[in-house]
């Protein structure tokens, strides 16, 4: 058995890179070393960290095409998908660096009538070392959602990239090094489940996980003995709702991109579309018209292959099961695949309890279902255990419908817009996880609130001493009635 993680291109089958698998003691050593680097990085202050993270971002921006090629080589995704991923990753890196001071620095809070003579304030301090475990589907954008925010908050990071995309992970660490004065605030350890589990048990101050819901449960269990807090960005089964008053062409265009971009391998990919009966046929025709989206290994293909062999099987099995239970492909077929390339499929008449309706598909497949009312649409959307993202198309009622969807993030008259707005927190509910990356919440996620009170000069009665005058105790019932009665 090889002791290396070997990254193989889904496009060519050729090796893209290899790295030794970290042993338990390597993980512990990386965390110990990161702890020293964290003390240095944390002591730099917001302005200095911003300067260094900005320099890193500029360097990465200058290597845009190099990064895009690397992501494409390792995941197989289409160049356009890799370009968008890189753009968004840099957008978040910039935002985190630019906003950390505003969000995390000490600020005054009201001390209230009861404690009027105390100045109260809170600041958000770095946690120390943050462990990050990432997936393969967006090997840059997804882990950077944790890494950039954790670094901007003053932490060092030990990152375990997916075993399918170690090269992008190593690239991130190597490119940051020139901007950290010989220190290493972004350590990388390579390997699969065992190495991830070792990172959970290593004594990091927080573990940020992005991956499947099944693995998330193992992560929580592995973090429990050391009481290591976790951030969970897990899977989804995102839905789009199209109301009778929607711009149907725009909705169809968004559904096709939302479902097929990145070959459907997106946690916030649209997998189910619930369409008001009044516009269902129109919508289906519009989806068909939008659909000439070809998957392939060549540069001209709109979407690339499926990155991992096991994922090819999951997608195929779900589509075949749906069709065997009466579903009808209106685009493609249940089995249109050549090796790891799966052509887009759109199904109608799918039973609501078919796996393609309830489980994450993570492939280029959409299901369309007509609904009589928006109440019915909401109830079907909310019928899975997941609750990550979603979309609504409606001219008049978009925000109201969105407000009833059980999801962490919804875009109205667009898909996935929330992922590109750096000030918006990103994350889900239910089986999609908890905690937030991005935005103010994403910075605070990697910091500990530190509260402070300073007693002021005004003469006042101190309740917190046994020497308080007896009158104070006698007045307390009246104070309670006055303040809270
Ligand atoms: P995965 O759960 O198989 O693996 C994710 C990471 O966890 C990998 O680095 C893997 O090596 C590691 N891992 C696996 N078993 C482990 C264990 N027992 N202990 C510790 N670490 C372990 O997920 P994947 O196939 O790499 O990624 C696809 C999944 O990620 C999908 O479900 C997708 O929805 C989800 N995802 C979610 C988001 C989000 O932001 N919510 C973003 C991207 C992907």
């Amino acid at each position: 058995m090889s002791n290396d993680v070997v990254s193989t291109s889904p496009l060519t089958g050729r090796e893209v890179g290899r790295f030794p698998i970290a042993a338990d003691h390597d993980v512990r050593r990386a965390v110990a070393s990161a702890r020293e680097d964290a003390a240095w990085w944390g002591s730099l202050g917001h302005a200095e960290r911003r300067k260094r993270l900005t320099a890193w971002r500029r360097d990465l921006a200058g290597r845009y095409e190099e990064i895009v090629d690397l992501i494409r080589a390792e995941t197989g995704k289409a160049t356009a998908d890799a370009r968008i991923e890189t753009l968004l990753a840099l957008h978040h890196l910039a935002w985190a660096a630019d906003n950390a001071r505003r969000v995390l620095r000490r600020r005054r809070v009201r001390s209230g009538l009861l404690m009027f003579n105390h100045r109260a304030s809170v600041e958000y301090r770095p946690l120390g070392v943050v462990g990050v475990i990432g997936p393969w589907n967006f090997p840059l954008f997804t882990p950077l959602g944790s890494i950039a925010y954790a670094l901007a908050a003053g932490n060092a990071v030990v990152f375990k990239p997916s075993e399918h995309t170690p090269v992008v992970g190593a690239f991130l660490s190597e490119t940051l090094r020139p901007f950290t004065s010989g220190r290493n605030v972004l350590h990388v350890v390579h390997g699969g489940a065992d190495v991830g589990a070792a990172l959970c048990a290593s004594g990091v101050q927080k573990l940020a996980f992005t991956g499947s819901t099944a693995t998330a449960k193992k992560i929580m269990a592995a973090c429990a003995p050391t009481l290591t807090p976790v951030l969970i960005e897990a899977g989804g089964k995102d839905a789009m709702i199209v109301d009778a008053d929607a711009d149907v062409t725009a909705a169809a265009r968004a559904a096709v991109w939302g479902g097929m971009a990145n070959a459907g391998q997106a946690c916030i990919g649209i997998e189910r579309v619930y369409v008001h009966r009044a516009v269902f046929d129109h919508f289906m025709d519009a989806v068909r018209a939008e659909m000439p989206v070809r998957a392939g290994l060549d540069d001209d293909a709109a979407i690339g292959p499926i990155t991992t062999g096991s994922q090819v099987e999951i997608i195929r099995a779900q589509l075949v099961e749906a069709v065997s239970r009466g579903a009808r492909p209106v685009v493609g077929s249940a089995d249109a695949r050549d090796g790891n390339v799966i052509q887009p499929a759109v199904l109608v008449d799918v039973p609501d309890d078919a796996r393609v309706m309830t489980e994450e598909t993570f492939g280029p497949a959409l299901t369309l279902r007509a609904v009589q009312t928006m109440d019915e649409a909401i109830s079907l959307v909310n019928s899975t255990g997941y609750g990550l993202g979603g979309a609504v198309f409606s001219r008049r009622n978009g925000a109201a419908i969105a407000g009833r969807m059980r999801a962490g993030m919804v875009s109205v008259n667009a898909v996935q817009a929330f992922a590109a707005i750096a000030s918006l927190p990103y994350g889900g509910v239910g089986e999609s996880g908890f905690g937030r990356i991005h935005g103010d919440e994403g910075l605070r996620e990697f910091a500990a609130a530190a509260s402070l009170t300073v007693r002021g000069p005004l003469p006042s009665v101190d309740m917190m001493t046994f020497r308080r005058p007896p009158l104070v105790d006698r007045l307390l019932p009246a104070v309670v009635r006055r303040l809270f009665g």
Side-chain angles (χ1 to χ4, degrees), residues 210-484:
T210 310
S212 64
T213 303
T215 306
K217 294 174 186 176
K218 295 181 189 159
I219 297 279
M220 282 189 78
C223 285
T226 45
L227 220 59
T228 303
V230 291
L231 161 74
I232 300 289
E233 297 290 348
K237 188 71 194 166
D238 287 6
M240 174 187 286
I241 295 178
V242 183
D243 201 355
D245 67 344
D247 176 339
V248 170
T249 308
R253 193 163 289 167
V256 169
W257 188 83
M260 305 301 162
N262 217 43
Q265 304 164 108
C267 52
I268 50 170
I270 298 293
E271 302 205 344
R272 304 171 289 155
V273 190
Y274 297 99
V275 187
H276 196 287
R277 181 160 295 289
V279 291
F280 185 80
D281 289 345
H282 181 184
F283 180 79
M284 191 167 65
D285 290 345
V287 165
R288 278 209 196 97
E290 282 297 324
M291 199 40 110
V293 170
R294 183 177 60 80
L297 302 173
D298 56 293
D299 289 343
D300 294 331
I303 56 175
I306 302 305
T307 302
T308 72
S310 53
Q311 195 57 41
V312 172
E313 280 318 308
I314 293 170
I315 299 162
R316 209 190 122 265
Q318 286 192 14
L319 294 177
V320 167
E321 185 222 29
V323 170
S324 76
R325 295 185 55 197
R328 213 161 36 89
V330 292
V331 170
S333 74
D335 211 6
R337 85 184 168 109
D338 181 7
N340 58 0
V341 175
I342 297 187
Q343 294 303 331
V346 180
L347 303 182
V348 297
D349 301 336
V350 189
D352 289 328
D353 62 349
R355 283 197 294 144
V356 77
M357 295 297 254
T358 59
E359 294 176 16
E360 192 175 44
T361 306
F362 227 55
L366 276 178
T367 61
L368 314 186
R369 187 196 190 288
V371 291
Q372 302 282 0
T373 62
M374 286 301 102
D375 285 347
E376 185 187 4
I378 296 285
S379 137
L380 288 164
V381 165
N382 294 347
S383 66
T384 78
Y386 291 114
L388 193 54
V392 180
F393 275 77
S394 166
R395 286 197 167 90
R396 283 183 298 276
N397 304 319
I401 296 168
R404 297 172 63 200
M405 289 168 79
R406 185 170 172 270
M409 310 161 288
V410 182
S411 294
V412 174
N413 296 332
V415 276
Q416 302 175 9
F418 46 76
I421 298 176
S423 48
L424 275 179
Y426 182 106
V429 297
E431 299 250 303
S432 294
F434 48 80
R436 292 292 181 267
I437 55 172
H438 302 174
D440 292 5
E441 286 83 349
L443 285 163
R444 289 198 193 105
E445 192 74 49
F446 298 106
S451 298
L452 182 71
T453 68
V454 178
R455 189 175 176 164
L458 295 176
S460 62
V461 175
D462 190 357
M463 272 187 307
M464 278 81 168
T465 164
F466 291 114
R467 302 250 173 207
R468 62 184 174 260
L471 179 67
V472 172
D473 285 4
R474 285 205 298 279
L475 283 177
L476 282 182
V479 170
V480 166
R481 273 197 302 279
R482 170 96 198 171
L483 290 182
F484 311 115

